[in-house]
């Protein structure tokens, strides 16, 4: 049974919940960032606690910064810039959201932002340097990009992420897993999640499932042909690459897949698409992935 | 895996979890409507986010169009909990069950661990009756599932009250007792049919919703009872007696028989034969041999434990019935209904299948009647299953009944079906807890449930369901603290999920934070607790609660951030700050202590704080002792090699007032010379490329130089 949690302002285009699920940041078409909090700790109804104008144009995506850096969000705007806003109390002023940093580049448009955490710093992945690595000379036209960090929290492990594009260059488009090579201080692709025939498929979304103890990683990739689930082995092979295996091809959504989210155990995948429905997918004991439920807003 | 399935009748309610391991055929997945109040046009782009556990939050937006009304909402966020409860059980009741079942479960796990440790150390002398522990576990949980049952037998003041009013039982309790009966209760294994008869006596009322049952007929008859004058004329009287006898509710039968009109005092003389016959039948009934260990108090029948004894008694009893059937007294009985009714009872007792069939209403009742009168020495699940199949063909199966599938799965010894039914009908709680019974009761079940599957990431089904249940517990604010008990019993992936669960808890509120840290400590999750403390520290710091922030960061031993804070404190050096901020600054330095490794200059900060304090005392420009003290501190600071060079000028600038002391020069020649030398060093240092200019007004240097020079002059004059 569904329960209404809160009502959004007019013109809202995107929302994002923080790590613990008790704060919601929403962005609207006029560039306003509104933050909703629980009215009091024991209640389950939310109220808007602040509205800040962050940009002139529309906000396209909001991403919360990992909590060990405070309460902050990154707002990606329509014009390809993004800015970091933080909630602070300074001296005797009331709590407000302040701008930390604005990232603007004349040559590149920011397509997506996600935060990964390493012990000493916050890594944000924008796409400029990655694009340069892949196709330094030719000009490629990228419509969108999707990135997902490996959500592990271990202190001693390196970070890695998976990245896929929707572009006109097949080499760029296919989803790849990147790992940081400390020796050379740069990011290297270590696995490619596309079958040889499917390399040119436009990638609409990627999602890396939290691993609570499996001997392999699970990554979901949404392309124009549907959603595919890949297993990424944890053992590094001789050439430094990791082996991948495609374990399922899921179809069911009519239309382009917008968003894919894994639950906290990494066993259920929730997806939304341009047909306006939400679908849930799970694997059964035999390893076959099936659609478990569909939700249709009415 | 918390799926959503089995919509229990409309309204888009997501039913119990649906990991159905056996169905590999693709079936259409259920579609649920999500009601919301966003006016049209609704944007097809919806956003999802998982909240803790297995709740899904869906953001629905309104599409931008000029036709949107002014009062419309721009969008809405709805939350769906994917493990929606049993319709029969309220939320509060469910929470009570969840809380209460935690300790029996934990106890069982710890016993299991100690048993396996013992068996590893010394294999033979400790013969542990594992099933006794399981029975204790089962009974503890059963006690949570509803008020104690009462037998349908009644000994009450009002002789006309046949059925005792008892609290309505729940399917969950019925299901649990079935599981206990077949899997955990080793003592009863030899008397399964009799136990099933008892079970039906308790729970027949559950089936009344979907078809006629003996229980419902009894209830109806009881309601009519007040209005009936001559009870033995009423055909329904004889019907209910027959039905109650068929399912073995002997006490009710005898009570009903004693309501027969021929017992009334004024009738006794004229209806002797009748009452004699009725009494004879009643006595026969009360002496019925039963193949079971014992009968409760007030219950009728005679128990036999050993088969040969039972058979002898059975044959004797049947001979008595046959003899009675052929008796001459029947002709003398004038009352037609009595004669026919009693004869019917005798036929039932003789195991006449037609009589049994007409006396019972659904297949379970027919089933137990067979155990009572046709094949009382049925043993073994296989033959029980065969009989069940036959009965199902003869009598209706109650529709939409949660227990049917479960019972058939158990009788068929089909572990997968049992698991699927538990999951579909009763939810993740049932599966997680009933698996303990199944693994104890059946070797086949144990091997199936404990086998590790690569496809699940090398999890066994047992562990999988515990994880699922823990995830369900995490979705609710009141039950998330129970989840660790279940997670820590999962060897493979439990700790991983526990870490994620703990890291997702909010830190703003102290009780929750302490609870969280308590759990971390209990399970030795140091990295998680320092992570949480780090988040708390940063949160408090950024929201103005600097003291709390520093405290938590110190607890987390987050040197990196503490160093950054120390750096911020350094920034206040040389600046004139308000009293209020000074106090805060002082307090922070106290908190930071001087032991921090990376913030090596903390010692300096302490000294600087002392200096600042003494500077405060010289505001009025009068007290010379205070001034001297300030001078002492200043010299200490300037002489100390640990004072970073970049602070020399700020320090001196701070002490301008001191140096420009009106009455007399406070610094003597040596001191002034030292300070001037320092200034000189500073000027040279400024020429170096990596020099960092202090944030002071541009004439600071010259002001200080002037002050020092003046002081020097006066000091020399004094000496």
């Amino acid at each position: 049974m569904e329960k209404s949690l809160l009502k959004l302002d007019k013109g809202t285009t995107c929302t994002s919940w923080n790590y613990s699920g008790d704060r919601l940041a929403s962005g609207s078409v006029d560039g306003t960032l509104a933050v909703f909090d629980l009215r009091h700790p024991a209640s389950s109804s939310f109220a808007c606690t602040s509205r800040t104008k962050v940009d002139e144009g529309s906000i396209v995506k909001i991403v919360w910064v990992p909590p060990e850096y405070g309460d902050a969000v990154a707002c990606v705007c329509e014009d390809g810039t993004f800015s970091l806003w933080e909630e602070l109390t300074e001296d005797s002023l009331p709590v407000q959201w302040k701008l930390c940093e604005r990232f603007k580049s004349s040559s590149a448009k920011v397509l997506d932002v996600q935060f990964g955490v390493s012990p000493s710093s916050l890594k944000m992945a924008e796409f400029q340097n990655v694009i340069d690595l892949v196709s330094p000379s030719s000009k490629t036209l990228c419509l969108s990009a999707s990135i997902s960090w490996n959500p592990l929290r271990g202190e001693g492990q390196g970070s890695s992420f998976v990245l896929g594009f929707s572009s006109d260059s097949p080499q760029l488009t296919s989803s790849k897993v990147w790992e940081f090579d400390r020796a050379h201080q740069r990011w290297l692709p270590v696995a490619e999640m596309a079958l040889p025939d499917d390399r040119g498929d436009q990638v609409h979304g990627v999602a890396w499932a939290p691993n609570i103890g499996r001997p392999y990683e699970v990554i979901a990739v949404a392309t124009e042909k549907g959603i595919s689930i890949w297993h990424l082995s944890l053992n590094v092979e001789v050439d430094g690459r990791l082996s991948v295996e495609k374990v399922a091809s899921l179809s069911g959504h009519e239309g382009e897949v917008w968003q894919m989210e894994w639950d906290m155990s990494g066993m259920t995948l929730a997806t939304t698409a341009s047909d306006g429905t939400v679908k849930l997918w799970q694997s059964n004991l035999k390893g076959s992935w099936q659609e478990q439920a569909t939700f249709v807003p009415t | 895996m918390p799926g959503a399935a089995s919509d229990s009748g409309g309204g888009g309610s997501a039913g119990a979890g649906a990991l159905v391991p056996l169905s590999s055929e693709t079936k259409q997945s259920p579609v649920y409507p999500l009601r919301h109040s966003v006016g049209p046009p609704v944007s097809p782009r919806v956003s999802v986010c998982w909240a803790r556990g297995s709740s899904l939050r869906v953001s629905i937006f309104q599409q931008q169009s000029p036709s949107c009304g002014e009062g419309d909402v721009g969008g809405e966020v709805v939350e769906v909990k994917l493990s929606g409860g049993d319709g029969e059980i309220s939320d509060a009741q469910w929470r009570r069950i969840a809380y209460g079942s935690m300790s029996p479960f934990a106890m069982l796990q710890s016993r299991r661990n100690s048993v396996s440790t013992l068996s590893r150390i010394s294999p033979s002398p400790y013969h542990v009756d594992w099933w006794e522990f399981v029975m204790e576990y089962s009974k503890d949980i059963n006690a949570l599932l509803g008020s104690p049952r009462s037998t349908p037998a009644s000994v009450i003041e009002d002789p006309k009250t046949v059925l005792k009013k008892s609290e309505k039982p729940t399917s969950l309790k019925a299901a649990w007792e079935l599981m206990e009966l077949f899997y955990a209760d080793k003592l009863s294994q030899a008397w399964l049919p009799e136990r099933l008869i008892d079970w039906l006596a308790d729970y027949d009322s559950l089936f009344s919703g979907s078809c006629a049952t003996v229980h419902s007929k009894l209830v109806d008859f009881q309601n009519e009872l007040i209005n009936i004058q001559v009870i033995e004329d009423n055909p329904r009287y004889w019907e209910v007696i027959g039905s109650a006898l068929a399912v073995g509710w002997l006490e009710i039968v005898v009570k009903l028989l004693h309501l027969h009109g021929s017992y009334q005092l004024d009738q006794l003389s004229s209806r002797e034969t009748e009452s004699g016959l009725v009494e004879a039948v009643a006595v026969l009934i009360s002496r019925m041999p039963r193949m079971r260990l014992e009968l409760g108090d007030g219950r009728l029948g005679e128990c036999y434990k050993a088969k040969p004894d039972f058979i002898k008694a059975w044959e004797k009893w049947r001979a008595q019935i046959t003899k009675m059937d052929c008796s001459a007294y029947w002709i003398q009985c004038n009352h037609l209904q009595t004669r026919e009714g009693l004869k019917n009872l005798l036929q039932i007792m003789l195991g006449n299948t037609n009589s049994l069939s007409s006396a019972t209403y659904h297949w379970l009742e027919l089933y137990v009647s067979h155990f009572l009168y046709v094949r009382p020495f049925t043993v073994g699940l296989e033959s029980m299953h065969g009989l069940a199949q036959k009965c199902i063909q003869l009598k209706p199966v109650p529709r939409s009944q949660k227990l049917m599938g479960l019972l058939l799965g158990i009788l068929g010894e089909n572990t997968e079906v049992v698991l699927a039914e538990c999951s579909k009908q009763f939810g993740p709680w049932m599966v997680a807890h009933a698996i303990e019974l199944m693994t104890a009761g059946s070797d086949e079940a144990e091997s199936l449930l404990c086998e590790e599957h690569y496809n699940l990431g090398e999890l066994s089904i047992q562990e999988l369901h515990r994880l699922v249940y823990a995830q369900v517990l995490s979705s609710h604010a009141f039950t998330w603290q129970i989840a660790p008990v279940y997670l820590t019993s999962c060897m493979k992936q439990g700790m991983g999920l526990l870490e994620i669960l703990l890291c997702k808890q909010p830190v703003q509120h102290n009780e929750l934070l302490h609870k969280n840290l308590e759990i971390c400590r209990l399970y030795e999750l140091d990295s998680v607790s320092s992570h949480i403390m780090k988040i708390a520290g940063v949160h408090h710091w950024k929201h103005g609660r600097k003291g709390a922030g520093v405290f938590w960061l110190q607890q987390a031993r987050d040197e990196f951030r503490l160093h950054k804070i120390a750096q911020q404190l350094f920034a206040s050096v040389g600046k004139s700050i308000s009293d209020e901020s000074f106090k805060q600054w002082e307090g922070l330095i106290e908190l930071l202590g001087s032991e921090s490794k990376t913030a090596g200059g903390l010692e300096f900060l302490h000294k600087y704080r002392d200096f600042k304090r003494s500077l405060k005392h010289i505001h009025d420009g009068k007290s010379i002792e205070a001034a001297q003290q300030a001078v002492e501190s200043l010299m200490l600071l300037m002489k100390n090699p640990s004072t970073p060079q970049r602070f020399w000028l700020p320090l001196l600038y701070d002490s301008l007032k001191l140096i420009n002391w009106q009455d007399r020069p406070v610094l003597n020649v040596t001191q002034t010379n030292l300070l001037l030398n320092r200034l000189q060093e500073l000027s040279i240092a400024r020429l170096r490329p990596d020099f960092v200019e202090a944030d002071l007004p541009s004439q600071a240097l010259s002001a200080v130089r002037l002050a020092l020079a003046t002081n020097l002059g006066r000091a020399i004059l004094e000496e």
Side-chain angles (χ1 to χ4, degrees):
Chain A
M1 210 162 23
E2 69 278 326
K3 184 175 127 175
S4 174
L5 290 180
L6 56 91
K7 303 268 193 291
L8 299 165
D9 298 334
K10 277 192 78 64
T12 309
T13 53
C14 54
T15 58
S16 177
W17 287 92
N18 76 339
Y19 78 106
S20 62
D22 41 315
R23 305 193 80 181
L24 176 74
S26 72
S28 63
V29 72
D30 61 356
T32 309
L33 169 74
V35 176
F36 295 80
D37 284 300
L38 283 169
R39 282 176 215 271
H40 22 254
S43 82
S44 57
S45 72
F46 291 82
C48 181
T49 50
S50 72
R51 281 190 181 85
T52 326
K53 186 142 171 83
V54 306
D55 201 75
E56 291 309 317
S58 163
I59 301 179
V60 167
K61 185 165 175 170
I62 296 185
V63 180
W64 282 85
V65 172
E68 36 292 24
Y69 297 94
D71 288 282
V73 296
C75 302
V76 181
C77 300
E78 211 176 14
D79 56 1
T81 63
F82 78 97
S83 44
L84 273 180
W85 293 78
E86 189 178 19
E87 187 185 52
L88 282 178
T89 310
E90 266 173 9
D91 299 327
S92 50
L93 296 169
V95 173
Q96 52 183 296
W97 286 82
K98 301 190 73 166
L99 176 65
C100 298
E101 197 67 55
R102 204 182 278 277
F103 299 84
K104 252 180 159 73
S105 163
S106 54
S107 57
K109 234 179 106 157
V110 171
L111 299 168
D112 196 358
V113 173
Q114 287 292 342
F115 290 100
V117 183
S118 70
S120 56
S121 65
L122 194 53
K123 287 191 177 41
M124 283 188 299
E126 286 172 69
F127 298 98
Q128 196 48 41
N129 64 332
V130 169
I131 295 176
D132 285 342
L133 280 170
V134 174
S135 57
S137 53
S138 59
K139 243 171 107 54
T140 44
L141 186 66
C142 261
L143 292 167
S144 71
S146 317
I147 181 172
S148 179
W149 285 88
N150 184 348
L152 50 72
R153 264 187 41 262
E155 293 290 312
Q157 293 154 295
S159 325
S160 48
F161 61 87
V162 62
L163 175 59
F165 290 92
S166 176
S167 76
D168 56 4
S169 149
Q171 294 142 305
L172 183 64
T173 307
S174 65
S175 314
K176 296 184 192 58
V177 178
W178 296 76
E179 259 184 17
F180 194 65
D181 177 6
R182 281 180 206 277
H184 299 95
Q185 288 292 302
R186 57 182 189 160
W187 291 90
L188 290 176
V190 293
E192 183 171 14
M193 282 174 313
L195 297 175
D197 299 332
D198 302 331
R199 283 225 174 89
D201 289 345
Q202 305 295 304
V203 173
H204 299 309
V206 291
W208 196 313
N211 188 351
I212 51 177
R214 282 185 290 260
Y216 48 81
E217 300 282 348
V218 178
I219 300 177
V221 178
T223 63
E224 54 193 354
K225 289 196 184 139
I227 302 170
S228 49
I229 310 279
W230 295 77
H231 283 184
L232 179 74
S233 136
L234 296 175
N235 302 318
V236 183
E237 291 179 7
V238 184
D239 59 355
R241 294 182 70 92
L242 299 171
S243 66
V244 294
E245 186 195 339
K246 183 173 183 181
V247 297
S249 249
L250 309 170
S251 54
H253 269 305
E254 296 155 10
E256 191 183 306
V257 172
W258 290 119
Q259 191 185 5
M260 296 197 290
E261 295 284 336
W262 288 97
D263 71 343
M264 65 193 268
S265 62
M267 295 202 273
T268 310
L269 178 67
T271 58
T272 68
S274 57
D275 57 0
T277 60
V278 178
K279 285 187 193 283
L280 296 177
W281 311 84
Q282 282 172 0
S283 159
N284 68 5
L285 286 178
K286 298 184 179 50
S288 100
W289 286 80
Q290 283 163 357
E291 187 183 318
Q292 294 294 333
T294 306
F295 294 92
V296 180
T298 52
Chain B
M1 294 175 202
S6 81
D7 67 305
S8 38
S13 65
L19 175 65
V20 183
L22 49 82
S23 78
S24 48
E25 77 271 11
T26 44
K27 54 182 202 298
Q28 188 62 25
S29 74
V31 177
Y32 301 92
L34 268 182
R35 287 176 296 232
H36 62 87
S37 56
V38 180
V42 175
S43 165
R45 185 168 189 156
V46 300
S47 178
V48 283
C49 182
W50 287 96
R52 274 166 264 150
S54 49
S55 319
L56 190 63
R57 293 181 176 165
V58 183
S59 307
I60 301 166
F61 307 107
Q62 189 178 48
Q63 201 154 39
Q64 292 307 302
S65 86
S67 63
C68 299
E70 266 311 311
D72 281 349
V73 261
E76 191 178 6
V77 180
V78 294
E79 184 178 52
V80 184
K81 285 221 196 293
L82 290 176
S83 50
D86 211 340
E88 271 181 304
I89 302 207
S90 69
D91 278 348
Q93 169 83 334
W94 181 80
R95 272 200 295 278
R96 201 174 62 83
I97 295 175
Y99 280 127
S101 39
M102 176 183 74
S103 18
F105 182 85
M107 171 91 91
L108 192 67
Q109 299 312 314
S110 75
R111 276 178 170 160
R112 192 198 298 274
N113 289 338
S114 47
V115 162
S116 65
T117 324
L118 272 175
S119 64
R120 254 181 280 138
I121 301 173
S122 51
S124 52
Y126 302 98
H127 174 58
V128 171
D129 276 332
W130 176 247
W131 71 268
E132 281 179 358
F133 292 143
V134 178
M135 261 318 271
E136 196 183 315
Y137 161 78
S138 182
K139 293 236 176 297
D140 285 340
I141 292 197
N142 198 359
L144 293 166
L145 296 176
S147 51
R149 62 185 190 203
S150 51
T151 59
S154 51
V155 180
I156 308 176
E157 307 79 36
D158 180 4
K160 291 217 167 177
T161 310
V162 180
L163 271 180
K164 201 175 186 175
K165 275 199 184 46
S166 57
E167 207 176 287
K168 190 160 163 45
T170 58
S171 307
L172 185 62
K173 195 167 161 72
W176 185 265
E177 286 190 14
L178 264 186
M179 298 293 285
E180 183 184 295
L181 192 59
F182 281 96
Y183 288 105
D185 197 347
K186 288 283 182 285
L187 285 178
S188 306
Q189 288 305 312
W191 297 286
L192 273 178
E194 282 284 334
R195 293 299 312 260
L196 205 53
I197 294 167
D198 288 344
W199 180 88
L200 188 65
D202 291 330
Y203 297 110
D204 199 29
S205 54
L206 285 174
F207 303 110
S208 303
S210 37
C211 66
T213 58
V214 173
H215 187 268
S216 63
K217 294 290 179 192
L218 267 172
V219 167
D220 291 341
F221 184 70
Q222 171 140 323
N223 293 336
E224 279 181 39
L225 204 51
I226 324 163
N227 301 326
I228 303 177
Q229 299 290 7
V230 185
I231 197 168
E232 59 272 21
D233 285 346
N234 193 316
R236 262 195 299 289
Y237 171 70
W238 296 107
E239 272 174 27
V240 294
I241 294 187
S243 297
L245 181 62
V247 287
W249 302 353
L250 305 180
E251 303 75 28
I252 294 183
V253 173
V254 170
K255 204 158 195 291
L256 280 170
L257 282 175
H258 285 153
L259 289 176
H260 194 270
S262 62
Y263 283 104
Q264 286 168 18
L265 289 170
D266 57 341
Q267 309 261 339
L268 262 177
S269 44
S270 50
R271 296 164 76 174
E272 239 181 74
T273 329
E274 263 185 70
S275 73
L277 283 169
V278 173
E279 185 61 29
V281 171
V283 166
L284 269 176
I285 289 172
S286 60
R287 290 225 196 104
M288 178 177 175
R290 304 286 289 266
M291 182 81 199
R292 58 190 293 152
L293 190 55
E294 61 188 359
L295 274 168
D297 288 338
R299 297 194 58 189
L300 299 172
E302 287 171 6
C303 302
Y304 292 91
K305 284 181 277 196
K307 194 162 165 181
D309 297 337
F310 174 75
I311 293 181
K312 229 171 33 185
W314 181 257
E315 281 167 8
K316 193 163 137 202
W317 185 70
R318 289 282 262 245
Q320 286 175 333
I321 299 177
T322 320
K323 192 164 134 200
M324 173 144 191
D325 202 26
C326 309
S327 148
Y329 286 106
W330 293 109
I331 311 169
Q332 294 178 22
C333 175
N334 296 329
H335 196 236
L336 181 65
Q337 286 98 326
T338 306
R339 190 167 71 224
E340 287 185 1
L342 288 175
K343 283 245 173 186
N344 186 35
L345 292 184
L346 291 178
Q347 285 305 307
I348 288 176
M349 289 196 281
L350 286 172
N352 181 326
T353 44
N354 288 334
S355 314
L356 289 176
S357 188
S358 39
T360 54
Y361 299 99
H362 61 84
W363 79 268
L364 257 179
E365 290 170 353
L366 182 63
Y367 191 49
V368 307
S369 68
H370 272 253
F371 288 135
L372 280 164
Y373 303 109
V374 180
R375 301 202 294 191
F377 21 79
T378 306
V379 145
L381 279 177
E382 224 176 289
S383 45
M384 284 177 80
H385 184 61
L387 180 60
Q389 302 286 37
K390 280 200 212 126
C391 291
I392 289 178
Q393 284 170 351
L394 293 171
K395 280 281 183 190
V397 178
R399 296 224 168 280
S400 69
Q401 235 315 313
K402 291 185 176 186
L403 297 160
M404 292 291 105
L406 182 63
L407 182 56
L408 287 171
I410 295 176
L411 289 173
E413 293 178 277
N414 192 334
T415 311
E416 288 183 346
V417 169
V418 173
L419 213 55
E421 287 293 318
C422 280
S423 172
K424 199 164 85 163
Q425 307 293 356
F426 301 104
W429 175 89
M430 181 69 174
V431 184
H433 291 85
I435 283 186
E436 299 298 320
L437 301 178
M438 290 167 76
T439 50
S442 149
D443 286 334
E444 182 246 337
E446 182 173 9
S447 62
L448 183 72
L449 296 169
C450 296
E451 182 196 331
E452 289 178 0
H453 293 257
Y454 175 77
N455 289 321
L456 296 172
E458 289 179 8
L459 273 186
S460 61
I461 298 183
Q462 183 176 43
E463 187 168 321
L464 172 67
H465 282 105
R466 286 181 195 162
L467 288 176
V468 168
Y469 178 58
Q471 208 168 336
V472 167
L473 283 174
S474 324
S475 326
H476 299 92
F478 295 122
T479 49
W480 74 268
Q481 313 97 309
I482 308 177
V485 169
Y486 294 90
L487 288 173
T488 45
S489 70
C490 298
M491 293 298 112
K492 290 281 173 86
Q493 299 183 5
M495 293 315 274
L497 192 55
L498 181 60
E499 288 185 9
I500 293 182
L501 169 64
L502 293 174
C503 286
K504 277 189 180 283
Q505 298 297 326
V507 300
Q508 290 96 319
H509 304 111
N510 268 333
E511 299 103 40
L512 205 52
L513 179 60
H514 282 290
K515 179 91 215 170
N516 205 345
L517 290 172
E518 181 68 36
I519 296 178
C520 290
R521 212 175 42 83
L522 193 58
Y523 297 111
E524 293 169 8
L525 295 169
D526 293 326
S527 67
V528 174
S529 66
S530 63
H531 176 80
I532 294 168
M533 292 195 277
K534 220 184 280 193
I535 297 179
V538 172
H539 177 83
H540 286 302
W541 177 265
K542 298 238 162 141
H543 285 85
R545 294 180 288 274
K546 300 206 185 258
V550 171
F551 169 70
W552 284 115
L553 287 174
Q554 282 178 324
Q555 292 286 310
R557 298 208 188 82
D558 188 354
E559 298 297 347
F560 185 70
R561 284 179 182 83
L562 285 171
H563 181 65
K564 280 215 164 356
I565 289 177
Q567 303 252 346
Q568 270 195 14
L569 291 177
F570 278 135
S572 316
V573 171
K575 298 224 177 67
S576 60
I577 43 183
S578 64
D579 280 342
E580 183 74 29
S581 321
F582 181 70
K583 280 210 192 69
Q584 199 185 58
W585 184 86
E586 257 195 305
L588 282 175
I589 295 187
E590 274 300 327
L591 265 182
L592 278 176
S594 46
E595 289 140 14
S596 173
K597 292 193 299 286
T598 53
L602 277 178
E603 205 188 297
F604 155 72
L605 275 179
H606 278 259
K607 292 210 180 65
Y608 181 72
R609 180 204 51 197
D610 295 334
F611 170 61
K612 273 296 242 200
R613 269 202 205 130
S614 46
L615 266 188
K616 276 190 177 312
H617 288 134
I618 61 165
H619 271 273
D620 44 6
K622 299 265 174 25
S623 164
I624 196 70
E625 295 83 21
Q628 292 289 10
Q629 221 173 6
V631 167
E632 302 266 333
S633 319
L634 178 61
M635 293 320 296
L636 221 67
L637 275 171
M638 292 306 283
K639 279 194 207 155
N640 196 331
S642 78
T643 307
Q645 195 180 53
R646 61 196 158 110
F647 290 125
W648 288 347
L649 189 54
L651 272 174
L652 289 171
Y653 188 68
D654 251 352
S655 19
L656 261 184
K657 189 160 184 209
L658 184 64
I659 304 174
N660 285 332
W661 195 258
Q662 290 289 11
D663 298 339
R664 43 168 302 199
V666 290
L667 298 162
N668 63 20
V669 179
T670 339
Q671 290 168 335
T672 323
N673 271 326
L674 184 98
L675 292 181
L676 279 171
N677 282 334
R678 286 279 188 261
L679 262 191
Q680 190 64 10
E681 280 179 41
L682 199 60
S683 308
I684 298 175
R686 281 171 115 184
L687 299 171
R688 270 194 255 124
D690 57 349
F691 184 75
V692 171
E693 194 65 63
D695 184 22
L696 291 168
S698 48
Q699 69 275 35
L701 186 57
S702 39
V704 170
R705 201 174 267 143
L706 180 62
L708 282 175
T710 322
N711 199 1
L712 185 60
R714 291 159 77 189
I716 293 177
L717 279 175
E718 283 232 335
E719 277 177 19

